[in-house]
Amino acid sequence: MTVSARAFLEELFRAADKKSAGVRKKDAVLTEFRLNDYRNLSSLQIKEGIEHEFRMARDAGAIALEWDRPGENGFIRRITLVDADRLANYLGIERSAHIVAQAREHLVPFLPRFPVLNDVIARWGTLKKVRMTDATQVDEWLDAIRAVGALTERFTGEDTPIREASARLFNDSKRLEKLTGPLDTILTGSIEMEARLPAEVWKELGLFREEQPVLLAGRIELARSRLSALIDQPYGGFASHAVLGVSGHMPSRILTIENLTTFHSEARRGQDADTLLIYTAGMPSPAWRAMYRRILTSTPATALLFHWGDVDEGGFRIASVIASDARLEQRTLLPFRMAPEDIPIDVRRTASPAVLARMRTFASRAGWQELGDRIQEAGFTVEQESLS
């Protein structure tokens, strides 16, 4: 095994960095136990070479050395940090606090729009990663911020292949796919939410690798770009931009459904009903949302709007987005089977206070303040498939 002075000094540097970040309480020091590999060396030449480098670091004002015997005889038994900055300079390593401070400077202009970046910076400050990135990878976050801004401001009415959008934005067709973690965090506004599948993140921005049709069900006639016709049994799939609205007999209600299993079950049961079922496929894309607004424009206010999704943080966030589109059309979105009394006890999963607080926030954004309060008090989450 190779023993080097630099490896010991880097270990001391990491300990100093951890103490500075508040994740270590003990002083940065190497004791006899930590120096065991050096102290067991049988080669005098290697021993003297290591000690020479330790002396150089000491002479640079970075460390203090204690020996077994006076006059620097025997072995070094203790190395104590004197000045972390000088040790960093000696090793040619930048301190984590400096790297985090530089990352913060880059991100400061975007904090008002994306407050979650404060949490990202704080997590980096404790030497922890966020979505597999640390402060040295701030460029990934800057590119993700740029992408969110560009893609949300330039929506053309149709979703876009992700590699086409990536090449246009970064002159690199694969760059956007590498930014999925930062994009997910920026979009959800939370470093605590469970990571979504890449396709779900891209879809929220109107991006796809393989375009999927929107699924609708019910005995409802849709006006489409080339014809108007009843939806097939038990459901039909269409390009979102091709659905122009509802024609003929109007639905009595419109129910959006988050999960595919639930949609299929309800589609079979309601294929001959005058309820229009629309599958959101998780968080709906911008093209889906534009289609939804066209449908609302084409239907009377007497058609009630409902949403059925997961009773969890992501589910209520999705509901808040759909509710915002409904409000743009002067309509109100109501929850469907998402109240505590609708949820059997045996399928409930206990949720943390932080998760419940965020659920309540999203429920409030959907206009469901009272439901959010009750869910927070009940203290659970549940996936929609458990309720089908």
Side-chain angles (χ1 to χ4, degrees), residues 84-217:
D85 287 330
R86 290 184 178 183
L87 180 58
N89 290 336
Y90 178 78
L91 293 172
I93 300 175
E94 192 170 7
R95 296 195 66 189
S96 295
H98 298 162
I99 296 172
V100 173
Q102 292 169 2
R104 180 179 176 80
E105 286 184 16
H106 288 297
L107 296 175
V108 159
F110 308 103
L111 295 180
R113 182 177 179 187
F114 305 113
V116 69
L117 295 175
N118 284 303
D119 298 329
V120 173
I121 296 166
R123 179 69 64 86
W124 285 342
T126 63
L127 306 185
K128 295 179 182 179
K129 293 188 175 185
V130 179
R131 302 303 295 272
M132 304 300 292
T133 70
D134 57 31
T136 65
Q137 296 161 288
V138 67
D139 284 348
E140 293 190 19
W141 291 81
L142 293 170
D143 281 353
I145 291 166
R146 177 185 171 191
V148 169
L151 294 168
T152 55
E153 292 168 6
R154 302 176 189 174
F155 178 58
T156 62
E158 296 185 28
D159 295 335
T160 306
I162 186 170
R163 293 196 173 178
E164 180 181 309
S166 185
R168 185 170 62 244
L169 280 171
F170 302 110
N171 199 30
D172 178 349
S173 64
K174 298 180 180 179
R175 180 59 174 166
L176 273 173
E177 295 175 48
K178 298 175 182 177
L179 303 177
T180 299
L183 287 171
D184 193 15
T185 302
I186 290 169
L187 291 171
T188 60
S190 171
I191 63 173
E192 304 294 343
M193 281 189 67
E194 184 177 348
R196 294 181 291 174
L197 293 173
E200 295 180 34
V201 179
W202 306 336
K203 183 160 68 71
E204 186 171 348
L205 289 167
L207 304 172
F208 63 86
R209 183 179 285 168
E210 298 177 357
E211 188 171 14
Q212 301 294 321
V214 177
L215 304 182
L216 304 96

Side-chain angles (χ1 to χ4, degrees), residues 202-365:
W202 306 336
K203 183 160 68 71
E204 186 171 348
L205 289 167
L207 304 172
F208 63 86
R209 183 179 285 168
E210 298 177 357
E211 188 171 14
Q212 301 294 321
V214 177
L215 304 182
L216 304 96
R219 190 172 180 80
I220 303 296
E221 184 177 305
L222 295 180
R224 308 205 299 274
S225 54
R226 289 191 174 182
L227 78 162
S228 294
L230 287 174
I231 300 172
D232 291 334
Q233 295 177 318
Y235 61 85
F238 313 96
S240 54
H241 65 269
V243 178
L244 306 181
V246 174
S247 61
H249 179 69
M250 290 292 129
S252 62
R253 62 179 184 170
I254 299 171
L255 172 62
T256 50
I257 298 177
E258 177 183 344
N259 292 296
L260 185 58
T261 300
T262 307
F263 173 81
H264 282 309
S265 298
E266 294 303 306
R268 286 193 298 270
R269 281 194 285 266
Q271 58 190 330
D272 290 319
D274 68 346
T275 295
L276 177 60
L277 305 178
I278 313 176
Y279 172 48
T280 75
M283 177 63 73
S285 72
W288 186 102
R289 295 173 63 187
M291 175 206 70
Y292 182 66
R293 290 184 59 189
R294 290 194 299 272
I295 288 174
L296 298 191
T297 301
S298 69
T299 56
T302 53
L304 298 177
L305 310 184
F306 292 92
H307 176 71
W308 190 8
D310 290 341
V311 182
D312 62 13
E313 188 174 354
F316 279 108
R317 179 170 176 264
I318 291 168
S320 72
V321 169
I322 298 173
S324 69
D325 288 325
R327 281 193 292 272
L328 290 174
E329 301 303 328
Q330 289 74 54
R331 306 283 284 274
T332 299
L333 185 70
L334 302 172
F336 184 76
R337 296 186 186 176
M338 297 176 70
E341 60 268 22
D342 298 320
I343 315 300
I345 293 177
D346 61 337
V347 299
R348 298 182 182 187
R349 296 179 299 179
T350 302
S352 70
V355 167
L356 292 168
R358 290 193 295 271
M359 289 170 63
R360 180 178 179 273
T361 296
F362 287 125
S364 297
R365 291 180 188 176

Side-chain angles (χ1 to χ4, degrees), residues 40-94:
N40 288 329
L41 285 170
S42 58
S43 169
L44 180 62
Q45 182 179 4
I46 295 175
K47 173 181 179 292
E48 290 178 343
I50 290 175
E51 291 170 352
H52 173 71
E53 188 163 348
F54 283 153
R55 289 188 179 97
M56 290 179 62
R58 178 195 62 189
D59 294 344
I63 61 173
L65 303 175
E66 296 180 28
W67 297 74
D68 287 334
R69 298 193 295 272
E72 299 189 357
N73 292 312
F75 285 88
I76 297 169
R77 65 182 180 85
R78 185 182 182 90
I79 302 176
T80 305
L81 177 74
V82 173
D83 190 308
D85 287 330
R86 290 184 178 183
L87 180 58
N89 290 336
Y90 178 78
L91 293 172
I93 300 175
E94 192 170 7

